[in-house]
Amino acid sequence: MAGRLIAGGRLVTAEGVVDDGWLLVEDGYISALGSGERPRADETVEADGAWVVPGFVDIHCHGGGGEPFMSTDPARARVAVDTHARRGTTTLLASLVSRPVDELVEQISALRELVEDGLLAGVHLEGPFLSAARCGAHDPNILRAPDTDSVATLLRAGRGAVRMVTLAPELENSVNAVRQLVDAGSIAAIGHTDATEAQVMPAVDAGATVATHLFNGMRPLHHREPGPIGALLDDERVTVELICDLVHLSPTIVRLAAKHAGLGRTVLVTDAIAAAGVGDGSYDIGGLEVVVKDGVPTLAGGTSLAGSTLTMDVAFRNLVQGCGLSVPEAVAATSTRPAALLGLADTTGKLAKGMSADLVVLNAGLHVDSVMRRGSWVG
């Protein structure tokens, strides 16, 4: 055999951890993996006992490297993609914040080029169909109820690239919008909502399957009114996003949610803004000024969190070292489950023969040593 061999690592596969394992990459795909006697290869990289895990899949990310995805310049969006790729994210949805529909159409059209090139797995619209009562870092003056024509316009702009849309189920026509999105092949997500449990359930029954950053931007959980948190966390049909920067959520809350939802329904996301990979400073998110101090973004003049500076490698490490989950559980939440949610379970999200060679080598401290995307090392 020829190809590129990664050997001597701790491979995390669907069947378990393979110690002193090897993995052969040919033509961008995993052609074989195992332990013991190694196959011949053109190039051998010694992992020296490091963890080898599938490439991370981030379904909620607004930018990075100083660049936001809301720019209409594809070159700027590529900077954000590259920034997260160097930190292990090999599959990424570009998230857009609430803006008028005509502006979103321009932004979607620009990002569609990167989707068609395979650099992005699609576009996520976080708004404008959100609750002003739970707007977070979204301009409340732009928020509105969904209508059939606006939803159709946004979907048409994507030509299949709009993979997920977050909305508040209590808004007028939201349940119909959920059906419209699902019928078009997009994922309907529930977030930035002040809904009661009774208002959430019709949207789930209509096909909503994701809780956008559970706990954040939602009516709080109450023992007599579960609201969206209780309803979504407890429903087996719903996958829950968790921002595992240990700022948005405490380790105890992350652990409680992940343990209740289980491996099949837990997804870690970054909700990263342009500041990810850059640092403190002043940034613009959808026309609102955001100040990043000590790595934490907040709206200027206030305390409301405005996304994060998180990258998926840090989220992975936080889940294990900060919240007490295992490395295989972290793999499920950062790779396997989000890939399946996007309909990519047959191509990425796990280390197995025939899968795309998307992988991350992590040292004993769970820091990134190297990243491979589609069989090529990421610089």
Side-chain angles (χ1 to χ4, degrees):
M1 282 187 176
R4 180 174 285 157
L5 186 70
I6 302 168
R10 303 185 71 189
L11 277 57
V12 183
T13 72
E15 291 72 36
V17 178
V18 179
D19 289 317
D20 193 24
W22 54 262
L23 182 151
L24 186 66
V25 175
E26 295 181 285
D27 299 321
Y29 293 90
I30 299 171
S31 60
L33 71 167
S35 61
E37 185 178 353
R38 304 174 178 183
R40 291 185 178 182
D42 295 328
E43 174 191 346
T44 298
V45 175
E46 293 292 344
D48 295 325
W51 293 97
V52 182
V53 303
F56 305 134
V57 179
D58 190 359
I59 66 171
H60 190 156
C61 177
H62 294 278
E67 300 293 354
F69 284 124
M70 65 183 181
S71 165
T72 54
D73 181 356
R76 296 179 65 187
R78 289 174 187 269
V79 171
V81 173
D82 291 345
T83 297
H84 287 281
R86 289 193 297 273
R87 291 156 178 82
T89 299
T90 54
T91 302
L92 182 67
L93 284 190
S95 299
L96 299 176
V97 298
S98 299
R99 297 301 299 160
V101 169
D102 58 346
E103 288 187 29
L104 287 173
V105 166
E106 293 180 8
Q107 294 170 8
I108 293 167
S109 298
L111 291 171
R112 192 176 64 228
E113 175 184 314
L114 275 69
V115 177
E116 292 169 351
D117 288 346
L119 290 178
L120 289 173
V123 177
H124 162 221
L125 302 181
E126 189 179 15
F129 313 125
L130 309 177
S131 167
R134 303 288 174 184
C135 60
H138 294 259
D139 186 345
N141 297 311
I142 292 173
L143 304 184
R144 46 172 290 190
D147 64 85
T148 301
D149 289 344
S150 294
V151 173
T153 296
L154 294 168
L155 291 172
R156 188 164 52 248
R159 300 179 191 172
V162 176
R163 297 290 296 114
M164 184 164 69
V165 178
T166 296
L167 48 74
E170 69 271 27
L171 300 180
E172 184 179 358
N173 201 49
S174 281
V175 173
N176 288 333
V178 168
R179 296 192 185 98
Q180 186 178 2
L181 291 167
V182 172
D183 288 346
S186 294
I187 297 166
I190 293 175
H192 287 280
T193 171
D194 199 41
T196 63
E197 180 182 33
Q199 291 173 311
V200 169
M201 297 316 299
V204 176
D205 291 338
T209 55
V210 171
T212 295
H213 47 51
L214 189 73
F215 295 98
N216 301 116
M218 293 183 176
R219 175 194 289 255
L221 180 68
H222 190 277
H223 57 281
R224 286 192 294 272
E225 172 47 68
I229 296 171
L232 297 170
L233 181 58
D234 202 42
D235 196 302
E236 294 293 329
R237 297 170 292 180
V238 178
T239 294
V240 299
E241 293 182 358
L242 301 174
I243 305 174
C244 196
D245 59 356
L246 307 187
V247 175
H248 281 78
L249 303 172
S250 79
T252 299
I253 289 296
V254 172
R255 188 165 51 250
L256 283 171
K259 290 295 187 181
H260 185 82
L263 299 183
R265 297 202 296 122
T266 301
V267 167
L268 299 191
V269 297
T270 62
D271 195 18
I273 64 170
V278 177
D280 292 357
S282 181
Y283 298 84
D284 177 90
I285 299 181
L288 301 179
E289 183 184 358
V290 171
V291 176
V292 179
K293 183 179 180 181
D294 298 328
V296 179
T298 56
L299 288 178
T303 59
S304 178
L305 292 172
S308 83
T309 59
L310 187 65
T311 51
M312 287 293 282
D313 58 320
V314 178
F316 186 105
R317 189 163 62 248
N318 285 345
L319 190 66
V320 177
Q321 298 177 351
C323 303
L325 275 71
S326 68
V327 168
E329 286 173 322
V331 166
T334 57
S335 301
T336 310
R337 179 54 196 152
L341 183 70
L342 295 179
L344 302 175
D346 292 336
T347 57
T348 194
K350 58 186 175 183
L351 301 182
K353 183 178 179 179
M355 302 294 284
S356 179
D358 300 329
L359 57 90
V360 186
V361 181
L362 301 169
N363 64 22
L366 302 182
H367 292 266
V368 173
D369 272 348
S370 52
V371 180
M372 179 177 283
R373 184 175 187 271
R374 297 182 183 176
S376 297
W377 294 112
V378 174

